[in-house]
């Protein structure tokens, strides 16, 4: 029963085409919230060698994360200068949410608008930013910024109607056209409620672009990515890419303080949360931390109530979706990358995750260090424990999927190995209780082709 629950959402994608840096991709999800608030998206670009891997951890409902999983990778693909105008910018391997026809039409219209003007958007980056970035970095940054802006303007358009033009305090950065046309009536209730639901929920996001021996990560919020590599002494090492955007990141806290008056230092961050409410300090959506106060008061609180306006809301925006960009050049020692929502990292450290995946690669069940039980222990009992440990190490993993393997160990690991009773208990908790013990967990494990990486080394390094 426990295994069938764990394996219900698992998938493995084997890369069959030669000349790719990836060998295979494992992924899985385990819900805590009902409905699941995490989403993921995995896609192959049209060059058949480059990949986009994205995880979106929603909060305040699943709406924003689902929209990002459906749309963001296409925006990134369109932002890459090598991509030609085409309706088939990429092959998406993961299923996406199917929205109502009105919403699907809106999203298609918006994407075409974006695609037609994306080269201009890349040019809007400051000179300092452009000069220090390559085309992939610019594409990720441009797409993240534009996606969040579109989520905002879609909601405002159907919330405010023709008054939107006077409300927006800046000119959109693409050839934006008003939606109060025959195709998209501005007071359409379906469109209004759907776009507002997406705008009022939120999501953090981590997207990796992997091509040749280059891994470029865009991170907004508190998902994490870790590269597992083999050290010179043959042990596993974990290389964490970037830092979470939370109150535990001093640089992020300082950035937040610098964007608001000193008089707000006691209120902008309270109880380690943005305005005392939001844990991540960067996120998509969550426009009640971004829109002008008078917009929230006049148009949002009549629909959603006074709670839509945070306390001490004085100098918005307080929140941004702009990602941190991290570049990593892959070497033959790099064996895989694990990208996961914080539901995994709450339970396992990066070092533990890499060790588990590494041992899973070798076909061994990872066991924790041998710890004797308290009290007097006989030699017979110690011998029995050692025998059990040897048997455990000789067995193949219970799961062929590495993401499932990680979820199993995150929930059931003890000092002496896996505890099936603990696993069953955690998987059988009722919906109103389970969130007290764990969060939604979404994991992608992508394995690198060592032979490919060896061939990509400079000639001098191979000699």
């Amino acid at each position: 029963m426990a295994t069938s629950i764990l394996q219900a959402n698992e998938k493995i994608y084997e890369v069959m085409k030669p000349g790719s840096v990836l060998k295979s991709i494992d992924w899985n999800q385990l819900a805590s919230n009902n409905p699941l608030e995490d989403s993921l998206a995995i896609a192959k670009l049209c060059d058949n060698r480059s990949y986009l891997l994205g995880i979106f951890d929603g909060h305040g409902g699943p709406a924003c994360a689902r929209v990002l999983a459906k749309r963001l990778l296409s925006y990134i693909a369109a932002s890459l200068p090598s991509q030609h105008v085409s309706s088939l910018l990429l092959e998406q391997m993961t299923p996406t949410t199917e929205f109502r026809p009105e919403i699907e039409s809106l999203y298609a219209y918006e994407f075409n608008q974006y695609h037609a003007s994306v080269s201009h958007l890349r040019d809007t980056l400051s000179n300092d930013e452009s000069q220090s970035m390559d085309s992939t970095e610019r594409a990720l940054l441009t797409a993240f910024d534009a996606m969040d802006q579109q989520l905002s303007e879609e909601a405002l358009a159907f919330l405010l109607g023709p008054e939107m033009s006077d409300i927006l305090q800046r000119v959109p950065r693409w050839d934006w056209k008003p939606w109060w046309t025959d195709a998209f009536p501005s007071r359409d209730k379906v469109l209004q409620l759907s776009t507002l639901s997406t705008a009022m929920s939120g999501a953090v996001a981590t997207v990796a672009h992997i091509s040749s021996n280059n891994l470029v990560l865009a991170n907004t919020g508190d998902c994490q990515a870790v590269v597992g590599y083999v050290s010179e002494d043959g042990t596993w090492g974990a290389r964490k890419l970037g830092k979470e955007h939370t109150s535990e990141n001093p640089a992020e806290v300082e950035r937040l303080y610098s964007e608001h008056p000193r008089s707000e230092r006691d209120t902008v961050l309270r109880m380690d949360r943005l305005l005392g409410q939001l844990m991540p300090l960067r996120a998509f959506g969550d426009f009640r931390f971004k829109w002008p106060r008078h917009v929230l008061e006049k148009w949002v609180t009549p629909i959603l109530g006074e709670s839509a306006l945070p306390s001490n809301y004085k100098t918005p925006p307080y929140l941004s979706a702009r990602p941190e960009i991290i570049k990593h050049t892959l070497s033959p020692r790099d064996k895989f990358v694990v990208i996961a929502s914080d539901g995994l990292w709450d339970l396992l450290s990066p070092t533990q995750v890499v060790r588990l995946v590494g041992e899973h690669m070798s076909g061994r069940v990872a066991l924790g260090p041998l710890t004797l039980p308290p009290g007097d222990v006989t030699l017979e009992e110690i011998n029995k424990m050692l025998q059990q440990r040897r048997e455990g190490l000789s067995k193949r993993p219970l799961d062929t999927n590495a993401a499932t393997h990680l979820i199993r160990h995150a929930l059931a690991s003890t000092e002496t190995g896996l505890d099936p009773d603990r696993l069953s208990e955690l998987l059988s908790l009722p919906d109103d209780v389970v969130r007290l013990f764990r969060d939604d967990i979404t994991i992608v494990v992508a394995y690198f082709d060592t032979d490919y990486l060896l061939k990509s080394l400079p000639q001098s390094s191979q000699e």
Side-chain angles (χ1 to χ4, degrees):
M1 178 66 175
T3 294
S4 63
I5 294 173
L6 286 180
Q7 296 179 349
N9 298 315
E10 68 177 15
K11 299 289 181 184
I12 296 178
Y13 174 83
E14 299 285 349
V15 178
M16 306 305 294
K17 194 173 182 68
S20 169
V21 66
L22 293 186
K23 291 180 67 175
S24 64
I25 308 170
D26 296 6
W27 65 90
N28 199 357
Q29 294 184 283
L30 180 68
S32 169
N33 295 290
N34 186 14
L36 174 73
E37 293 186 339
D38 285 2
S39 290
L40 79 161
I42 301 171
K44 179 169 61 176
L45 296 180
C46 287
D47 63 4
N48 279 321
R49 296 187 304 273
S50 304
Y51 294 83
L52 291 168
L53 317 174
I55 285 186
F56 312 100
D57 184 351
H59 48 262
C64 188
R66 290 178 178 176
V67 170
L68 291 175
K70 186 178 187 69
R71 303 174 70 183
L72 183 58
L73 299 196
S74 293
Y75 278 63
I76 294 170
S79 305
L80 293 165
S82 60
Q83 300 300 313
H84 301 292
V85 176
S86 168
S87 60
L88 300 174
L89 285 169
L90 47 78
E91 172 196 342
Q92 191 137 331
M93 305 166 195
T94 45
T96 58
T97 301
E98 289 297 320
F99 296 95
R100 294 182 59 150
E102 306 97 312
I103 303 299
E104 294 283 347
S105 296
L106 171 66
Y107 291 165
Y109 172 85
E110 279 290 80
F111 176 72
N112 290 334
Q113 291 285 97
Y114 176 77
H115 197 289
S117 53
V118 67
S119 60
H120 165 69
L121 284 177
R122 287 194 298 266
D123 294 340
T124 62
L125 294 174
S126 69
N127 289 335
D128 289 342
E129 286 177 316
S130 289
Q131 290 174 6
S132 62
M133 292 183 179
D134 63 23
S135 60
T136 302
E137 293 175 273
R138 284 194 296 272
L140 290 165
L141 189 62
T142 300
F144 270 56
D145 283 352
M147 184 79 266
D148 200 50
Q149 186 180 348
Q150 284 201 343
L151 295 180
S152 172
E153 294 186 354
E154 287 164 5
L156 287 173
F158 293 107
L159 189 64
L160 312 183
E163 299 172 73
M164 177 183 172
S165 298
D166 299 325
I167 294 298
L168 287 180
Q169 297 180 351
R170 54 187 166 79
V171 177
R173 295 180 295 176
W174 58 83
D175 296 330
W176 179 81
K177 293 182 176 60
W179 289 284
W180 41 90
T181 63
D182 293 337
F184 301 111
S186 64
R187 296 302 182 185
D188 185 296
K189 287 297 182 183
V190 171
L191 291 169
Q192 184 186 75
L193 292 175
S194 179
T195 55
L196 185 60
S197 173
T198 301
M200 289 296 105
S201 64
V204 298
T206 294
V207 178
H209 177 276
I210 304 174
S211 183
S212 183
N213 64 340
N214 296 308
L215 190 163
V216 184
L217 190 83
N219 182 50
T220 292
D222 57 3
C223 294
Q224 289 186 47
V226 176
V227 171
Y229 67 92
V230 178
S231 309
E232 291 187 4
D233 63 2
T235 60
W236 285 104
R239 180 176 289 107
K240 188 175 173 181
L241 303 178
K243 295 182 178 180
E244 303 94 305
H245 301 130
T246 66
S247 61
E248 295 181 2
N249 181 341
E252 190 66 8
V253 171
E254 191 54 40
R255 177 195 64 80
L256 180 63
Y257 283 153
S258 70
E259 294 174 355
H260 301 279
R262 289 190 64 85
S263 59
E264 291 190 64
R265 285 218 164 199
D266 292 336
T267 57
V268 69
L269 198 61
R270 291 190 301 112
M271 298 178 293
D272 295 328
R273 293 172 179 263
L274 185 67
L275 296 177
Q277 297 188 22
L278 191 64
M279 184 72 77
L281 302 183
R282 300 192 200 189
F284 284 90
D286 288 315
F287 290 103
R288 65 194 191 94
F289 298 98
K290 299 174 182 176
W291 284 343
R293 183 185 179 99
H294 66 278
V295 171
L296 295 176
E297 289 178 331
K298 186 173 182 180
W299 281 280
V300 179
T301 57
I303 299 174
L304 301 179
E306 294 299 323
S307 62
L309 180 63
S311 300
N312 301 299
Y313 197 76
K314 300 173 183 178
T315 56
Y318 290 92
L319 191 64
S320 168
R322 172 154 284 208
E324 176 187 5
I325 305 294
I326 303 100
K327 292 179 65 177
H328 175 65
T329 302
L330 298 171
S331 81
R333 291 191 177 277
D334 295 326
K335 302 304 177 184
F336 54 84
V337 62
V338 179
I339 309 172
S341 59
D342 64 349
L344 175 68
W345 308 113
D346 288 344
L347 301 172
L348 295 174
S349 70
T351 300
Q352 290 173 312
V353 165
V354 166
R355 178 178 60 82
L356 285 165
V357 177
E359 292 178 342
H360 183 269
M361 285 178 66
S362 304
R364 291 184 287 122
V365 176
L367 296 175
L370 181 64
T371 303
L372 297 178
D376 295 329
V377 183
T378 66
L379 287 174
E380 182 179 353
E381 289 172 331
I382 293 175
N383 186 59
K384 185 177 180 180
M385 292 174 65
L386 290 172
Q387 179 64 29
Q388 290 174 340
R389 185 173 177 82
R390 281 193 295 270
E391 291 174 357
L393 288 170
S394 67
K395 292 178 181 177
R396 293 180 60 84
L398 296 172
D399 306 291
T400 57
N401 186 300
T404 308
H405 181 72
L406 285 174
I407 295 174
R408 184 184 296 274
H409 279 264
L411 299 183
S413 282
T414 68
E415 291 182 341
T416 57
L418 291 172
D419 182 344
D421 293 334
R422 174 183 169 84
L423 179 64
S424 296
E425 289 173 6
L426 286 173
L427 292 176
S428 60
L429 292 171
D431 289 347
D432 58 345
V433 174
V434 63
R435 188 62 182 85
L436 299 174
F437 291 87
R438 62 175 178 83
D439 199 354
D440 297 329
I441 301 175
T442 299
I443 306 171
V444 175
V445 182
Y447 293 96
F448 304 126
D449 187 327
T450 300
D451 290 338
Y452 177 93
L453 291 173
L454 280 168
K455 292 174 184 176
S456 69
L457 286 173
Q459 191 65 36
S460 59
S461 300
Q462 300 181 42
E463 295 175 353

